[in-house]
């Protein structure tokens, strides 16, 4: 447990610490990559500022790694002691079990209206917003400028150009002409990026999953035949290549192209790799839809404290604090007001290409309680679609069946 709210520890369950005093418990994820920029520092400064203005409230923050935070919150909920707030990767299961406050119950009208529209919509279950976006990101195609210059090629805008570029990079001896991480770490992200660029996606706008759609099958047929089958994705089978390893290889100068988020910029800069970024190529031109990712703030009802939680979250989502968090961790603001400032501020120039993708972004179908199971199935199985003996139509059909089963079990 962090020391941000020692009074919470001294007051037993952390619900109150004396007459008229409220203690709020928040479990949050760590976005830092070292002790020097741990999220504990971010929350420590924010909570100190808040408690100075609200001496009747103590906020006790526990920061955990992304490897542990979702499981830790689930264990607390299962034990009957949920935190007041949890900043985690999903929310739909808790919303479906009627364990969360709606955003309407907590936030001021101005704060709630300030959320980026696509992200606010992604936070809804059956039309009501339970997930409050906390951090967001989009993806771009990164390319190694040095390797491209040596191969005499320019950044691709279509799939055909991407395949042609990859072929020329291979001829120059590049280890990973295009890195295709479909391994179990984050295959659902690479998959969605490609599905969207092919005019498909995981789910229909009006209803259920559409994993085995004609567009999606055609996308994976192309990946199998035009990239993987021609040896243009490197020595590691896509189904065994994890995103972290692909990023490390790019930062080591071994990758010609791959899909990346803002953190890859710092990795490449540290090793001196000269890189460029362009929108994901599509069938006939740049993809019309980008992939977006969001993490979520949730508030549990069991302990009460709706008023105090709402006041604290209004502070968390103030323009200054949203900008501060986004700049510290190279993430995109989840509010329109902060996005507008970042779109013109010189200090945010590096993030601007990602920010420009946000209005076109589509996020995972996180509002479905079945998504966690579907995502796990994609991570486990999608790599088979591009193997020599794999059949994309069969693999996607199997994933669609698993999705429908999960959807039915969830009552969606």
């Amino acid at each position: 447990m962090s020391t941000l709210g020692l009074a919470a520890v001294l007051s037993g369950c952390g619900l109150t610490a004396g007459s008229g005093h409220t203690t709020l418990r928040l479990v949050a994820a760590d976005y830092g990559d070292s002790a020097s920029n741990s999220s504990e520092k971010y929350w420590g400064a924010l909570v100190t500022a808040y408690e100075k203005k609200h001496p009747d409230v103590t906020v006790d923050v526990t920061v955990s790694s992304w490897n542990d935070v979702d499981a830790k919150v689930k264990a607390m909920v299962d034990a009957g002691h949920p935190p007041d707030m949890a900043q985690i990767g999903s929310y739909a299961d808790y919303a479906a079990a009627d364990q969360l406050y709606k955003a309407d119950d907590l936030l001021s009208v101005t704060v709630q209206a300030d959320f980026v529209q696509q992200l606010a919509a992604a936070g809804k279950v059956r039309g009501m917003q339970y997930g409050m976006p906390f951090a967001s990101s989009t993806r771009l195609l990164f390319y190694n400028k040095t390797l491209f210059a040596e191969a005499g090629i320019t950044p691709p805008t279509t799939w055909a150009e991407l395949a042609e570029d990859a072929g020329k990079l291979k001829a120059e001896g590049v280890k990973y002409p295009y890195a295709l991480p479909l391994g179990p770490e984050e295959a659902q992200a690479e998959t969605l990026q490609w599905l969207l660029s092919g005019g498909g996606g995981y789910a229909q706008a009006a209803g259920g999953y559409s994993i085995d759609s004609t567009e999606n099958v055609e996308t994976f047929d192309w990946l199998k035949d035009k990239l993987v089958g021609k040896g243009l994705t490197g020595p590691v089978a896509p189904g065994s290549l994890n995103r972290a390893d692909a990023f490390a290889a790019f930062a080591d100068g071994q990758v010609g192209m791959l899909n990346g988020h803002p953190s890859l910029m710092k990795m490449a800069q540290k090793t001196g790799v000269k890189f460029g970024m362009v929108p994901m190529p599509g069938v006939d031109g740049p993809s019309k839809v980008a992939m977006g990712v969001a993490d979520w703030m949730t508030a549990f009802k069991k302990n009460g404290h709706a008023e105090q939680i709402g006041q604290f979250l209004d502070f968390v989502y103030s323009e200054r604090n949203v900008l501060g968090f986004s700049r510290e961790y190279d993430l995109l603001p989840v509010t329109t007001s902060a996005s507008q400032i970042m779109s013109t501020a010189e200090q945010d120039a590096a993030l601007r290409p990602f920010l420009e993708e946000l209005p076109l972004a589509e996020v995972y179908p996180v509002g479905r309680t079945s998504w966690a199971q579907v995502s796990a199935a994609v991570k486990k199985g999608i790599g088979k679609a591009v193997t020599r003996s794999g059949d994309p139509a069969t693999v996607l059909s199997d994933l669609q069946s698993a999705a429908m089963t999960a959807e039915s079990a969830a009552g969606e």
Side-chain angles (χ1 to χ4, degrees):
M1 179 173 290
S2 85
T3 58
L4 304 186
L6 182 59
V9 182
L10 301 178
S11 61
C13 293
L15 303 184
T16 60
S19 177
H21 192 100
T22 302
T23 296
L24 302 176
R25 292 181 299 160
L26 165 63
V27 177
D30 194 352
Y31 289 83
D33 56 13
S34 66
S36 63
N37 71 343
S38 166
S39 291
E40 281 204 11
K41 288 193 172 184
Y42 170 79
W43 286 112
L46 187 146
V47 166
T48 296
Y50 183 77
E51 291 177 349
K52 283 182 179 179
K53 295 181 178 180
H54 300 83
D56 57 336
V57 177
T58 295
V59 183
D60 171 33
V61 183
T62 303
V63 174
S64 297
S65 76
W66 272 111
N67 293 330
D68 305 322
V69 67
D70 288 283
K72 180 171 289 188
V73 171
K74 184 179 186 302
M76 294 172 72
V77 174
D78 290 348
H81 302 292
D84 296 284
M85 295 165 285
Q87 186 269 299
I88 47 181
S90 61
Y91 65 86
D93 287 350
Y94 301 126
D98 195 30
Q99 295 171 318
L100 301 180
Y101 283 115
K102 297 188 291 290
D104 289 346
D105 299 329
L106 304 169
L107 302 175
S108 65
V109 173
T110 54
V111 168
Q112 191 174 359
D114 197 26
F115 285 132
V116 173
Q117 184 177 358
Q118 300 96 304
L119 302 180
K124 293 181 178 180
V125 174
R126 297 184 176 90
M128 300 301 297
Q129 185 180 359
Y130 294 90
M132 293 164 276
F134 183 76
S136 68
S137 179
T138 56
R139 302 290 171 94
L140 292 168
L141 182 75
F142 282 66
Y143 65 96
N144 183 311
K145 286 186 173 182
T146 302
L147 298 179
F148 266 56
E150 291 172 351
I153 56 178
T154 57
T157 61
T158 66
W159 287 0
E161 291 174 0
L162 188 150
E164 184 179 355
D165 284 351
K168 292 179 178 179
L169 288 165
K170 181 182 179 181
E172 289 292 320
V174 175
K175 187 173 183 178
Y176 294 90
Y178 178 87
L180 183 67
L182 296 178
E185 178 199 0
E186 205 181 43
Q188 84 284 1
E190 183 73 13
T191 297
L192 180 56
Q193 187 88 333
W194 277 99
L195 296 184
L196 292 173
S197 71
Y202 283 127
Q204 301 167 346
Y209 290 98
S210 55
I211 298 173
D212 62 348
S213 69
T214 299
E215 295 85 353
N216 292 348
V217 172
E218 290 176 349
T219 294
F220 268 84
D221 279 338
W222 187 90
L223 282 171
K224 178 187 175 185
D225 296 338
K226 303 298 184 181
L227 280 188
V228 182
K230 293 188 176 181
L232 301 179
T233 55
V236 179
S240 300
L241 181 64
N242 282 327
R243 189 269 311 165
D245 295 329
F247 276 22
F250 185 85
D252 196 35
Q254 301 179 39
V255 175
M257 299 173 278
L258 84 170
N259 287 318
H261 51 64
S263 68
L264 184 55
M265 293 190 298
K266 281 188 175 179
M267 291 180 64
Q269 287 164 353
K270 285 180 180 179
T271 57
V273 170
K274 296 179 181 179
F275 62 91
M277 303 176 297
V278 294
M280 176 68 181
V283 178
D284 300 315
S287 179
K288 296 178 175 62
V289 183
M291 191 196 85
V293 177
D295 302 323
W296 305 96
M297 178 69 76
T298 59
F300 288 86
K301 296 193 296 186
K302 183 167 184 178
N303 300 327
H305 305 143
E307 181 180 355
Q308 293 86 353
I309 292 171
Q311 290 172 349
F312 177 66
L313 290 180
D314 276 356
F315 181 73
V316 168
Y317 285 109
S318 67
E319 182 181 283
R320 176 180 178 180
N321 287 329
V322 171
L323 276 173
F325 177 83
S326 301
R327 286 167 171 165
E328 176 66 29
Y329 298 108
D330 286 332
L331 292 165
L332 303 183
V334 296
T335 61
T336 301
S337 60
S339 296
Q340 289 173 342
I341 291 175
M342 188 172 275
S343 67
T344 57
E346 186 59 33
Q347 71 184 95
D348 302 312
L351 284 172
R352 204 164 296 151
F354 296 94
L355 190 61
E356 290 169 355
E357 294 285 293
L358 194 56
L360 306 173
E362 180 175 317
V363 303
Y364 305 128
V366 290
R368 302 167 186 262
T369 56
S370 55
W371 169 243
Q373 288 179 259
V374 175
S375 176
V378 171
K379 290 179 183 180
K380 183 178 180 181
I382 195 64
K384 300 173 185 175
V386 295
T387 60
R388 185 184 300 274
S389 60
D391 177 45
T394 299
V395 171
L396 293 176
S397 178
D398 289 346
L399 289 172
Q400 176 70 12
S401 296
M404 293 176 66
T405 299
E407 193 174 32
S408 177
E412 295 173 320

